Amino acid sequence: MDVTIDKIGEYEGQSVRIKGWLYNKRSSGKIFFLQIRDGSGIIQAVGVKSQLSPECFEKMQKVVQESSVIVSGRVKKDERSPGGYELSVENFDIIHLSEPYPISPKEHGVDFLMEHRHLWLRSSRQHAIMKIRNTVIRACEDFLRQEGFLRMDTPILTPAACEGTTTLFETDYFDKKAYLSQSGQLYNEANCMAFGKVYSFGPTFRAEKSKTRRHLMEFWMLEPEIAFATIDDLMELEENMIVYMVSRLLELNKADLKSIGRDISKLEAIKAPFPRLCYNDAIKLLRSKGNELPWGEDFGADEESILSLNFDKPVFVHRYPAKCKAFYMKPDSEDPNLSLSVDMLAPEGYGEITGGGQRIEDYEELLKRIEEHKLPKDAYEWYLDLRRYGSVPHSGFGIGIERTITWVCGIEHLRETIPYPRMLTRLYP
RNA sequence: UCCAGCGUAGCUCAAUGGCAGAGCAUCCGGCUGUUAACCGGACGGUUAUAAGUUCGAGUCUUAUCGCUGGAGCCA
């Protein structure tokens, strides 16, 4: 019977067959210990010379790391085995004898591993991170569905539009130019006027020459947008989504988190409510920590780090100065120099993972902003339409999936959180 | 783009300006409970590239390329 390793405990005492790859091999003369992985887990298969045909035993001597194999054997509980269970080999076949495998169980450098990303993904640490990525995405989508949101995907090829073109990747679109999307936000606004609560989820592209542990040229963003929602509604939604997502992780991926060395207690502390700090108070906090950022400046890596290290939960920073946020952010009625924008900073120094706010719903006000920012009005006619036909207050945010995964995994660099990271100097593999 | 560091065997790293070395991987041999197994042996080098200083350069100088870390950029 063919089984997968994650379900092996259900077959104790039975003979089963596993199709997979050789993860590692140890031998002791007339006994072989084969670590077999099949994508669902790793199990130790034990082959004893006296219990096997000579052909079978010969294959075990010959097999090398990452060869594809089919192993048949009896499932046994054994504490000496790394997974708690092991397979007493009855038959062993090599599907493909691997060439010498470049990634050994020993340590490797970052550059070498990135160059072999397609093979690196076979390692157990990468398995854990990819499974966590899966839960993060699925939990956020599940949460939004439960809240009545409709997923509506937005285009990746777009006309110039959003902001300036300096940070956009340009491509030919027959006899025109097209740009890779850097946000689904404007389309989400149209969609939420059609369906009330919507979100988009997909890759976004930024042609910024950023070379840090927190930037990718291509990253995945989940962007909810809600009609009739205020900035306060938005913060509550974000908070609930993060709490739900973390609870799902603790339920489904505790072993994965532990295997990459994550301090679980840090995640267990993620409970609502999250602190809410207005920009002015954030500046005061920074001053008290010796940071002298002038009022009106957006936070850099330093400031975000100081703020997020100050709390053991994510923290909202809201009402940033209008001039450091996008043109469509609604000004605060109590102080028009401030915008109804809000970022969520992840704790432990990880910094910004979401950004969003309440949008301008008034036609004249939006038009004024478009002109102030010297944006081409023609390109925004459809966007202005949303303020001509039944405009309502509305809010939305975007959450950067890779940054979020970096935080929940507690890892150094976001390059491990996506299967094939696109970075400033790396487009291969 | 700027600042700093690094570039030596397939990988991870040593080598005072004076013979180019180890561990792992691979191959051969040994071992019936290994846990990154272990033990013995073999294979493995245009020291990133180019020029310079020197009796002599992996080591010092200059340039170029590449990588890493950070800054900046960044709804």
Side-chain angles (χ1 to χ4, degrees), chain A residues 28-92:
Chain A
S28 190
K30 298 183 178 61
I31 180 165
F32 276 99
F33 302 94
L34 309 174
Q35 315 299 322
I36 309 289
R37 63 169 192 89
D38 71 347
S40 79
I42 295 176
I43 191 167
Q44 175 162 278
V46 183
V48 180
K49 188 173 188 182
S50 58
Q51 295 166 12
L52 290 164
S53 67
E55 301 77 42
C56 216
F57 195 75
E58 198 180 304
K59 286 182 203 161
M60 279 193 189
Q61 285 176 316
K62 199 171 69 173
V63 73
V64 295
Q65 193 187 357
E66 286 303 322
S67 296
S68 44
V69 298
I70 297 184
V71 192
S72 303
R74 193 166 295 277
V75 180
K76 271 174 50 185
K77 202 164 192 157
D78 195 316
E79 281 179 8
R80 292 171 296 183
S81 184
Y85 290 95
E86 64 179 29
L87 212 57
S88 298
V89 179
E90 290 161 344
N91 201 13
F92 181 75

